[in-house]
């Protein structure tokens, strides 16, 4: 019986754009750079240049910031837990799984996405290595998501990671997703959920322009894309409510200035994207 197509499948078009941008930045493999991604990048390049000049940042600059922070933090967790397991949800055309399996072969790294994107990613991975692990495929908001956690060893620590995902959901749906991760991961020796998140751009002089752009993205992705939080403490409380006991919010202004992830400040520093490390103990 053929599975019903997910109503969230339209979000996947952004994976082509991000996959191509990461390739152009020199941090990805050519197989993850699609023609569709190149077309999207070419289309929005003039807007991106204007944003970088007048806003001080753009989609592609935040892509580099969030990707770097997530990768750096994952490397530190591997140092802490050499037998780490990783589940990347909505993996898209990110090079992360390929890169970490290549450089840290001792960890177990699996990727997950909706059926169409999972097939696209699998085809790309097989061009690099025919024995690449299967890209798993489920809708995150179905009971099938729970079964994915059974693919991992509960006696080993697990990291769930997502990038460029959670702003596409309504606040209620986002709470459901985070609660699911906390519930399904409670039996593991240790559980971290690493994700990026876009806060309300209230500190930016062109906040209204950014808000207008987000409305366009909402229409194009047929999603509930929105900025849900203004202060780090709001994110903390939200993740606490979902079941996570410790929540660290890391902002690029702190991270890149000091070259390390510092304790979260209590205010919005003006960055367009933040990173969250939510821990279940």
């Amino acid at each position: 019986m053929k599975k019903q197509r997910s109503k969230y499948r339209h979000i996947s078009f952004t994976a082509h754009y991000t996959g191509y941008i990461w390739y152009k930045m020199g941090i990805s493999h050519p197989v993850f750079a699609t023609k569709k991604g190149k077309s999207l990048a070419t289309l929005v390049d003039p807007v991106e240049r204007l944003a970088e000049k007048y806003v001080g940042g753009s989609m592609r600059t935040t892509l580099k910031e969030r990707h770097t922070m997530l990768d750096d933090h994952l490397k530190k967790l591997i140092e802490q837990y050499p037998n780490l397991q990783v589940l990347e949800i909505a993996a898209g055309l990110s090079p992360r799984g390929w890169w970490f399996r290549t450089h840290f072969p001792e960890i177990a790294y699996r990727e997950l996405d909706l059926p169409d994107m999972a097939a696209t990613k699998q085809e790309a991975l097989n061009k690099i290595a025919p024995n690449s692990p299967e890209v798993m495929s489920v809708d995150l908001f179905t009971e099938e998501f729970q079964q994915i956690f059974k693919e991992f060893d509960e006696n080993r620590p697990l990291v769930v990671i997502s990038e460029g995902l959670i702003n596409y959901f309504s606040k209620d749906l986002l709470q459901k997703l985070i609660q699911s991760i906390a519930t399904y991961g409670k039996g593991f020796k240790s559980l971290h959920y690493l994700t990026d998140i876009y806060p309300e751009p209230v500190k930016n002089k062109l906040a209204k322009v950014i808000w207008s752009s987000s409305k366009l993205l909402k229409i194009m992705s047929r999603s509930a894309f929105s900025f849900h939080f203004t202060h780090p403490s709001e994110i903390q409380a939200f993740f606490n409510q979902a079941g996570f006991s410790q929540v660290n919010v890391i902002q690029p202004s702190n991270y890149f200035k000091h070259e390390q992830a510092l304790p979260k400040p209590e205010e919005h520093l003006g960055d367009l994207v933040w990173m969250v490390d939510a821990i279940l103990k």
Side-chain angles (χ1 to χ4, degrees):
M1 183 175 177
K2 189 176 180 180
K3 292 183 180 180
Q4 184 178 0
R5 299 184 75 187
S6 170
K7 64 181 179 180
Y8 309 109
R9 65 187 183 276
H10 303 289
I11 297 172
S12 294
F13 89 93
T14 61
H16 291 273
Y17 171 78
T18 54
Y20 186 79
I21 293 299
W22 282 320
Y23 164 67
K24 290 294 288 183
M25 288 179 177
I27 59 176
S28 187
H29 193 285
V31 298
F32 303 127
T34 65
K35 292 182 179 179
K36 182 184 291 187
K38 184 177 181 180
S39 297
L40 287 168
T42 302
L43 179 67
V44 302
D45 181 68
V47 178
E48 291 284 85
R49 290 180 183 274
L50 287 172
E52 288 162 8
K53 183 176 181 179
Y54 295 107
V55 180
S58 64
M59 283 191 292
R60 58 192 179 197
T61 59
T62 62
L63 280 177
K64 186 173 184 179
E65 288 176 340
R66 77 190 197 193
H67 200 78
T68 300
M69 290 192 296
L70 287 167
D71 279 7
D72 287 354
H73 207 75
L74 186 53
K75 290 173 189 175
K76 291 177 182 177
L77 287 174
I78 293 173
E79 291 176 4
Q80 184 178 354
Y81 306 110
N83 65 336
L84 190 67
Q85 303 173 109
V86 182
L87 168 62
E88 184 169 6
I89 59 176
L93 293 169
S94 167
R96 181 173 291 113
W98 157 72
W99 193 93
F100 273 90
R101 282 192 294 265
T102 301
H103 292 81
F104 299 94
E106 67 278 10
I107 69 171
Y109 198 114
R110 300 296 301 277
E111 297 174 84
L112 172 70
D113 214 313
L114 293 171
D116 290 347
M117 180 50 66
T120 298
K121 184 64 169 288
Q122 190 73 63
E123 183 180 356
L125 287 170
N126 289 344
K127 291 178 181 178
I128 304 175
N131 61 342
S132 296
E134 176 190 2
V135 179
M136 299 182 291
S137 171
V138 300
D139 188 316
L140 299 174
F141 298 100
T142 65
E143 293 181 357
E144 292 178 334
F145 186 37
Q146 183 175 6
Q147 299 303 313
I148 294 297
F149 286 76
K150 296 180 180 179
E151 297 286 328
F152 298 89
D153 184 353
E154 287 192 343
N155 295 314
R156 297 168 60 183
L158 174 68
V159 171
V160 178
I161 188 168
S162 65
E163 182 172 6
L165 174 69
I166 62 179
N167 282 89
Y168 285 99
F169 303 129
S170 68
K171 210 167 183 179
D172 288 343
L173 207 57
L174 178 55
Q175 179 71 196
K176 181 180 179 181
L177 173 62
I178 299 173
Q179 283 178 341
S180 295
I181 294 171
T183 300
Y184 304 153
K186 64 183 179 182
F188 286 83
K189 183 177 180 180
S190 175
L191 179 80
H192 286 251
Y193 176 34
L194 298 181
T195 185
D196 65 308
I197 190 166
Y198 287 83
E200 291 189 20
V202 293
K203 293 280 185 174
N204 197 291
K205 60 184 178 180
L206 292 179
K208 290 183 178 180
V209 175
I210 299 173
W211 263 105
S212 298
S213 298
S214 74
K215 291 178 182 178
L216 177 60
L217 183 57
K218 180 177 181 178
I219 294 171
M220 292 177 65
S221 61
R222 304 184 199 179
S223 70
F225 188 93
S226 185
F227 306 109
H228 299 306
F229 308 101
T230 304
H231 301 288
S233 59
E234 294 173 345
I235 296 176
Q236 255 194 315
F238 191 79
F239 277 76
N240 287 156
Q241 183 182 349
F244 285 93
S245 53
Q246 182 179 336
V247 184
N248 302 313
V249 180
I250 301 165
Q251 302 185 47
S253 289
N254 257 358
Y255 184 84
F256 292 108
K257 180 179 179 181
H258 298 279
E259 298 182 351
Q260 59 180 333
L262 300 178
K264 62 185 182 306
E266 293 301 327
E267 62 177 304
H268 192 318
L269 298 180
D271 296 294
L272 297 178
V273 67
W274 299 345
M275 188 191 84
V276 178
D277 177 14
I279 306 167
L280 190 66
K281 293 184 177 180

